[in-house]
Amino acid sequence: MNSKIKMTLLVLLALALTTNAQETESLKDVLGISGSARLGQWERNKSYLDGRGYTVGAGWLTLRPKEYLGFKAYVDGFVQGSDLSRSNYSEGDLREFYIEKSIGAWDLKVGRAITVWGRADKVNPTDNLSVRNYRMLVVDDEDQRSGVFTSQLVFNIENVRVTAIWLPEWRSPIFPIPPLKGITLGDERPEHSTDQAGLKIDQTGSSLDWSVSYFHGFNKSPDLKLISAGPQGVMLALTYGLIDVYGFDFASSIGGVGLRGEVAYTKTKDSDGRDPLVQNSNVSAVFGVERNLFENFNLNVQVLYKKIDDYQDPLQLTDANTRLLSQQLNLNANQLQEQQTGVSARASYKLWNDALELEIAYVSWLKKSDSLIRPKVSYALSDHFKLNVGAEVYQGESDTFFGRLKDTSTAFSEIRYGF
Amino acid sequence: MRGYINWIISHRKAVVILTALITIALLSQLRSLSIILDPDNTLPQTHPYIMTGNFIEKTFGNKFTVVIGISATNGTVFQTPILEKVQRITTRIQNSSASVKSNIISLSARKAKNIEGTEEGMQVKPLMEKIPSTPEEFAALKKGIDSNPAYENLLISKDEKTTQIVAEFKKIPGGFKAIRAIVEDAVAPEKDASVEFNITGITIYLAILEEFSGRMGFLFPLALLIIGLIHYEAFRTVQALILPLVTALLAVAWALGILGLMKEPFDVFNTSTPILILAIAAGHAVQILKRYYEEYAHLRTLDSKQDRQSTSELAVLNSLTKVGPVMVVACTVAALGFFSLMIFEIKSIRTFGIFTGAGVLSALVLELTFIPALRVMLPAPGDKEILRESAAGFWDKVTGLFFRLATEKRKAVYWTVGVLVAVLSLGGYWLKIDNSQKSYFSKSLPARISDDKLNSTMAGTNPFYVLIKGKGEDAIKQPEVLNFMDGLQNEIMKNPLAGKTVSIVDFLKKMNQSMNADKKEFYKVPESQDLVAQYLLLYSNSGEPGDFDSYVDYNYQNAVVTAFTKSDSSVFTQNIASDVMKYAKDHAPAGIEVTVGGGTLGGVALNEIMIHEKVLNILQIMLAVFIVSSLVFRSMAAGLLILVPLVAAVLVNFGVMGILGIPLQIATALVSAMAVGIGADYGIYMSYRLREELKADPTNEKRAIEKAFKSAGKATIFVSTAVAGGFGVLMLSYGFMVHIWMGFLIALAMLVSSVTALTLFPALIFSFKPKFIFQERNQSMNFKPVIVSLFAAALIATQFPHYLHAETLSAEEVSKKSFVASKVSDSTSDSTFRLINGSGQERVRETTGQSKLIKGTTDNMRLVTFLSPSDVKGTKTLLVEHSGKDDDMWIYLPAMKKVRRLVSSNKKDSFVGTDFSYGDVIGHRTEDWNHKILKEEKVDGKDCWVIEALPKNKDVSENSGYSKRLGWIDKESFIAIRGENFDLSGQLLKKFTAKNVQKVDAANNKWQAMTLEAENVQTNHRTILEFKNFKANVGVKDDLFTSRSLEKQ
């Protein structure tokens, strides 16, 4: 096992043991320590390597120190080795570290933070503020998120919150992209990476929750740029174009049925759809219902819709290179047709006083069997130990959004010690 | 399908291990499987007869009674030794901790009083103060009995040869058999030549039912053996014997586990259902194996040099690819049919539907995963084994006969089978729907013989009850009400099969007579209410407080008339109940509500539901079969043709039941559902195989058809023989008609449906040459509907002050005060939830919380923050209650980084995984429940009212998950310091205790229990909630209950 990981896990374990001890109770309280040590096994990873069976070890730590002079702090990070039996490589990230302060009706937050917008279930067109490492092998997909440096100011009037946010840090998302022979792929950071900001008016409370939002920043789904082409091969770069996103969402509960919806209009810099290597402006919408069908069984079903402005079929492009790149871009950005419809469903069932949780999530774009199924079983062996078993199954043809990820379909299991 | 099977084969070990893990997980659910022994609990609880019966049992007792008849072999019972026996038996039963002492009546029981007139007025004394020994003393006893008509035929027969002891018992841990043992122990020392004992009563029948249900312990293995032998006969190989049986046993275990998981109770009528699942699962496994052997033999013929194990793998792949799809269709159809029974109100039928549907689906899953995985792991068959399997034998001759009949002698088939089915169906005219509980048992059983004897000599052993409900206290004391009851009793006695009626009126009439010098003309209802009150007061001077508990309640608001009849036929009881209700409608005084229920009327309730739902049941399953078959074969003709064997089986079944006098009741009703569910398989298999063979051999239809018969036809015979053989063993259950009828009728249904599927069904196909077989043979089958149906099936599975004021407070007022007793204007507290399972394992959740009442209401806003364990640390929930509409709920999960609105939970949903439901935490709205003060008693030294709360309607009970709540309300604090809540089937579900009750707001008299415990007695799981640092009225601000608070770390 990687020595760094070993050390981290040992430190976390020691910390957990000491923090549970009576005499250091106050330290635990003061620092608000919690975290987990995780050991898992994944059938495949998301880097398109040929190998099978990846042993994943990780340590996660969160600090919520006690409020001091009205300031609150929050720190969250991890270290993870994703192939312990074969490699010493490990990665780590300080996902969040920020301070918060409230003065009257105003709340201020400064530091690296994960900000999530959108009320739909899992599929959120207005969620453009945090980034994800989609290659990371984690049981809970929310753990793939990483924070960016944030300055956030919120004004509260009863149930209404007006949020202004500035994100001066750029961190690129990481995607599982299959290696293409003769093509080298790079990552090109935006030139003016401090140019990201957003505004949101949100009401939570009463019988209807809603928000309207605006985001100006960089697209977290990249465009493609041809850097060079020659006998040595083709060099491409992932670029992140400026976008403006106008969003609206709502959630309500009527007669035991939950209703959710989210709509976003994303305006890209290719507003007239002429540039085949830049994503087109589009409207994305999600509407769904949720219901507790019987005791502890929750079902959530959503309809997904996407309309691409000025959609142009890449096949009509005459230049072969441009056509190929445009096809690849559309695939990555899921802009495969002028109008796309899909469904998502998520069912969860809690048993044995919440000790056992069965969950299955499904998303499909209703074309060429383009879908993702993610079943998961979590069993709490005790307050500290939890067992997770599940799978991620991508289906569809290779020219579909989920189908291209088919080779990353995997089963996983994980034992987690929480403290 | 091929890709999928390939995947299974390449992951064979993982599949077998996973199967083992799932089996262990589901077997662990057996601990949640509750078994209902009292058949009354399987009755439709919302039926008026049942509701009345439940009320009567609760208020007046008389649920689990035992009747001991003592007959003198020479002379009358008025002999000193015999009366001494009566006294000793009565004393022994009274001394037993299992008996309800206040509800024992016999000549020597304290409750049996002689009311007689004296010069001073009325004298009340025990009927038999001492055992008479002189002629004068015997004469005095006889006089006492004769002058109190209430005892006539109840304590002593008209011919004076028989007397009886009627005793009521409580439920005890050893079940009804233990009660019977107590009675037998009390009687045993008294047995000699001078007397004959006859013991009967509902408790004795329940004990026999328990005993007979236990027979499944040997009947199930016997069924297993017979099914195994039939398989062995089919294949002549040990592997083929064991593999289907292991699969079948796993399917049974899974189905039981799923039943436990769904918290559906198991009842005595379903004890034989495992045999059905066993037979179906084994039958399907046979279909696969048969096909496997065929493929294996074929592959060996093509290339005998190929490695056997590789050939075996290829055979598994080929066979399952071919037979898998049809298996999915057949099982889906069967499962849908069974699951559709879930809409029934009769618990037994619902349990049967879920259990069998889950069993069929489990079998399907196992057949498409476990069987192929295990098959490729087992050694490949040897040549001898293949030869043995493929050798033509008896079954092939039978199949050949059916083939020739269906193809060459179609007219004869139409005439023979058609006429036979038609003639037998005519017997349905005599079919009677009757739920006589005694008919479950053979007339030759000693208990039935005893019952018959007592029934003929005494008042009758079949009681039913008439409940008289007044509007307020002392309503029953009104002379017009008493006269109405008297008239009602006379009306009942007009029926020749009515043996006796008894009520408080009989005693009041006797008191009136006694107070008027015992003159006969005064044996009537007293003329005024005052007179009634005075008589009762006089009676109480000599009598005992509990003497009339069986006839009238404490407040004289409700009374019961008990009627004893000679027949327990539900048809008869329905008629007499209708007469009662008609009389009540015409004669009941204003403000008096009359209902009937209890006793033999339970069977009537079942009848009514069954008449209403039986046709629906059969049509429903048939409709499911028709729709799915039509969609799968893309042909309505296919749907109709597949129904033919089912219709024939149901018609013949009902016809034979009519001819043989087998009544239609719960057990026999299930047979038609079984027949339809299983019978559909045969037509589907035959249709599918005919298509396949005709497609493979389009030039020679006859040869193709013959091949289909040899394969699918033979398998049909195996399956039906296995089901019939498996169920046939039930006929060995001597004396228990439920088993015997089921064994016989299932065997009959299997015979009819398989013979029809192999004769009438193919004959119709060859006559009409439907497109779906002959012209569309090359079209692929449409399996989408099957997937949709499976989803549908899954959805169906979804588709719940102070004690000084005591006298002035009604049950409603007490409950209202209790509802708000803890509602402080605001509070902060730290809480610890300890979740403890049956084996003592403990999980702990720590929270900190704030609450505040919404101004001008009794609705709370509650913010809860979880502090531990680590995986929920930082999670916050906000709950805003709304009386009369859905509550609003939000949750902040630290991992998701946003506030999410939750669908408002049903009140019955678990509160964050604890044994408290949301309703338990928030409180149940007083307006939704009918409350009644049952009694007053001390708990932990505190005076309490015991309040019974019954839901006002079905919605309330389903939403709360409770059919009844009992609360012990402390008279000082109005906090419920003890509680018992009952699930929708009437079983005790949870027990609650509240300790360390503290006054937290002296100014407003608000209290809070600092320790609360909820125990789910069905799962043995409990939750202890402890409050620390509880502070009331500390000025919690409104803006704490907003998303702003939720989002703050």
Side-chain angles (χ1 to χ4, degrees), chain A residues 32-35 64 72 74 96 98 100 102 104-107 114 116-121 124 142 156 158-159 161 204-209 251-258 260 290-296 298-300 346 349 351-355 380-383 386 418-419, chain B residues 11 25 28-29 31-32 261-263 794-795 797-800 835 841-845 869-871 873-876 882 885-888 890 892 894-906 908-915 1019 1021 1023 1041-1044 1046-1049:
Chain A
I33 297 168
S34 63
R64 294 180 183 86
K72 276 187 169 182
Y74 184 82
E96 291 185 279
Y98 62 79
E100 280 179 309
S102 295
W106 297 87
D107 298 329
I114 296 171
V116 183
W117 285 1
R119 284 192 163 84
D121 189 60
N124 299 104
E142 294 297 332
N156 299 281
E158 293 188 352
N159 285 330
R161 311 190 82 201
T204 302
S206 70
S207 54
L208 177 73
D209 301 344
S252 186
S253 178
I254 301 168
V257 178
R260 300 180 188 286
E290 184 180 3
R291 183 149 171 75
N292 293 329
L293 286 176
F294 47 87
E295 208 172 337
N296 301 322
N298 177 271
L299 181 66
N300 191 310
R346 195 161 61 87
Y349 190 21
L351 297 151
W352 306 342
N353 296 79
D354 290 6
L381 298 162
S382 70
D383 277 343
K386 194 170 191 175
F419 56 89
Chain B
H11 294 78
S28 73
Q29 284 306 304
R31 65 188 172 177
S32 311
L261 198 68
M262 294 181 72
K263 307 251 184 321
L795 277 176
T798 66
Q799 290 285 315
F800 80 80
L835 284 69
Q841 276 183 313
E842 193 173 297
R843 292 186 293 143
V844 179
R845 292 173 178 210
S870 62
D871 60 344
K873 185 172 181 176
T875 300
K876 295 182 182 184
H882 298 294
K885 63 171 191 163
D886 291 339
D887 302 325
D888 287 313
W890 294 267
Y892 175 82
M896 288 183 68
K897 306 287 175 194
K898 64 180 176 183
V899 174
R900 181 185 169 94
R901 177 185 276 270
L902 293 178
V903 181
S904 51
S905 284
N906 290 321
K908 67 182 173 192
D909 286 357
S910 159
F911 179 70
V912 293
T914 67
D915 295 287
T1019 61
H1021 195 281
T1023 301
F1041 306 97
T1042 60
S1043 61
R1044 184 187 187 188
L1046 287 172
E1047 281 190 1
K1048 278 187 182 170
Q1049 289 289 351

Side-chain angles (χ1 to χ4, degrees), chain B residues 278-558:
Chain B
L278 189 79
I280 297 176
H284 284 294
V286 164
Q287 298 271 13
I288 296 177
L289 272 181
K290 179 91 194 93
R291 201 61 190 259
Y292 163 79
Y293 277 108
E294 285 173 23
E295 287 294 331
Y296 184 78
H298 177 63
L299 290 169
R300 290 290 296 164
T301 319
L302 292 178
D303 183 3
S304 60
K305 288 177 185 166
Q306 177 74 25
D307 162 49
R308 281 179 185 280
Q309 208 58 33
S310 313
T311 310
S312 177
E313 280 186 25
L314 193 57
V316 168
L317 184 64
N318 287 350
S319 59
L320 215 58
T321 307
K322 287 173 184 168
V323 82
V326 68
M327 188 112 4
V328 174
V329 175
C331 285
T332 308
V333 170
L336 273 179
F338 289 128
F339 277 136
S340 70
L341 301 178
M342 284 171 66
I343 63 162
F344 275 64
E345 202 190 344
I346 300 170
K347 200 164 247 312
S348 255
I349 294 185
R350 221 165 54 213
T351 301
F352 170 75
I354 297 170
F355 186 33
T356 320
V360 170
L361 285 187
S362 302
L364 175 66
V365 171
L366 287 162
E367 281 147 11
L368 295 179
T369 54
F370 177 70
I371 287 194
L374 191 63
R375 182 57 264 181
V376 292
M377 285 169 77
L378 291 170
D383 289 337
K384 281 184 186 170
E385 198 177 334
I386 291 299
L387 273 176
R388 274 204 308 271
E389 194 281 328
S390 56
F394 169 74
W395 300 101
D396 296 274
K397 286 179 189 164
V398 176
T399 316
L401 175 70
F402 282 126
F403 167 69
R404 285 193 299 280
L405 281 173
T407 51
E408 295 163 13
K409 302 197 181 300
R410 286 210 293 277
K411 270 191 184 171
V413 166
Y414 290 141
W415 276 109
T416 317
V417 180
V419 169
L420 210 59
V421 169
V423 168
L424 288 173
S425 308
L426 288 176
Y429 176 76
W430 292 282
L431 180 66
K432 56 175 183 181
I433 302 171
D434 200 336
N435 267 298
S436 152
Q437 288 193 353
K438 288 175 187 169
S439 69
Y440 297 164
F441 308 97
S442 163
K443 283 182 180 168
S444 58
L445 276 181
R448 279 291 304 265
I449 295 169
S450 291
D451 192 274
D452 288 346
K453 278 186 183 167
L454 285 180
N455 197 33
S456 60
T457 52
M458 304 296 287
T461 52
N462 311 291
F464 75 91
Y465 306 93
V466 185
L467 177 66
I468 319 291
K469 272 183 151 179
K471 277 209 164 157
E473 277 188 18
D474 294 342
I476 301 300
K477 290 179 183 171
Q478 296 167 23
E480 59 267 35
V481 176
L482 293 167
N483 276 318
F484 161 69
M485 288 171 65
D486 194 30
L488 185 79
Q489 287 179 247
N490 293 333
E491 183 69 19
I492 293 171
M493 288 308 292
K494 284 180 188 169
N495 191 305
L497 289 175
K500 170 121 192 128
T501 61
V502 62
S503 78
I504 186 70
V505 174
D506 298 304
F507 297 95
L508 283 167
K509 280 160 69 178
K510 178 61 194 165
M511 288 179 210
N512 194 30
Q513 186 187 14
S514 304
M515 292 298 288
N516 290 282
D518 265 344
K519 290 178 187 163
K520 277 192 178 174
E521 62 268 32
F522 284 97
Y523 185 70
K524 62 179 185 179
V525 170
E527 283 174 355
S528 72
Q529 188 168 341
D530 288 345
L531 215 47
V532 170
Q534 285 165 24
Y535 288 170
L536 288 169
L537 184 70
L538 278 173
Y539 182 96
S540 66
N541 288 335
S542 323
E544 287 172 57
D547 281 355
F548 299 135
D549 282 359
S550 308
Y551 311 110
V552 68
D553 67 1
Y554 186 75
N555 296 327
Y556 280 77
Q557 185 177 350
N558 305 306

